[in-house]
Amino acid sequence: QVQLEESGGGSVQAGGSLTLSCKFSGHIYKGNCMGWFRRQAPGAEREGVAVINDFYDTIYYADSVKGRFTISQNNDKNTVDLRMDSLKPEDTGMYYCASTTLPIGCGSVNPKMNSWGRGTQVTVSS
């Protein structure tokens, strides 16, 4: 079982920056896919924003965030961070940290994840 806890959300003006952090614990294998998803409106589907497989050295970003967001994993601190720069109002949403429970590749920015955090709200005003 994998436990995930997000932090770092908040409100910022367009053009600003935020860094989200996900603390993970439990049965994390080398090769687990981990990453960040967001739900931009109530009832909308969660979409992949950025995912990372540290063991296989692969990263995928959604087209809408390429060049603005950076995902990183720190295995000493057991964290997966999402640095978000040049934020836009359309980046507003609930951001979730997620992980696979097995050491499988990410394959795309929208892999099937098995474990989820509770989410942290990001609000970008114009």
Side-chain angles (χ1 to χ4, degrees), residues 23-40:
K23 180 78 170 176
F24 59 83
S25 61
H27 293 291
I28 297 287
Y29 299 95
K30 291 182 180 180
N32 276 55
C33 179
M34 305 192 71
W36 289 90
F37 290 65
R38 69 185 177 193
R39 179 178 282 127
Q40 293 178 288

Side-chain angles (χ1 to χ4, degrees), residues 5-96:
E5 184 173 2
E6 305 95 339
S7 62
S11 297
V12 65
Q13 288 192 323
S17 299
L18 282 173
T19 297
L20 306 182
S21 187
C22 174
K23 180 78 170 176
F24 59 83
S25 61
H27 293 291
I28 297 287
Y29 299 95
K30 291 182 180 180
N32 276 55
C33 179
M34 305 192 71
W36 289 90
F37 290 65
R38 69 185 177 193
R39 179 178 282 127
Q40 293 178 288
E45 286 193 11
R46 281 184 291 207
E47 60 173 6
V49 174
V51 296
I52 183 170
N53 188 307
D54 190 57
F55 182 75
Y56 294 111
D57 196 24
T58 56
I59 291 176
Y60 296 91
Y61 291 102
D63 288 342
S64 60
V65 307
K66 283 180 181 176
R68 301 188 297 120
F69 290 12
T70 304
I71 190 171
S72 61
Q73 183 168 339
N74 186 321
N75 293 318
D76 291 331
K77 297 182 179 180
N78 285 0
T79 57
V80 176
D81 291 346
L82 184 68
R83 168 75 180 186
M84 306 185 294
D85 295 316
S86 302
L87 282 161
K88 304 175 180 180
E90 51 264 42
D91 292 318
T92 293
M94 185 68 79
Y95 283 70
Y96 299 88

Side-chain angles (χ1 to χ4, degrees), residues 1-2 27-29 32-33 99-104 113-115:
Q1 192 173 358
V2 176
H27 293 291
I28 297 287
Y29 299 95
N32 276 55
C33 179
S99 171
T100 59
T101 51
L102 294 174
I104 59 175
M113 299 303 217
N114 308 107
S115 297

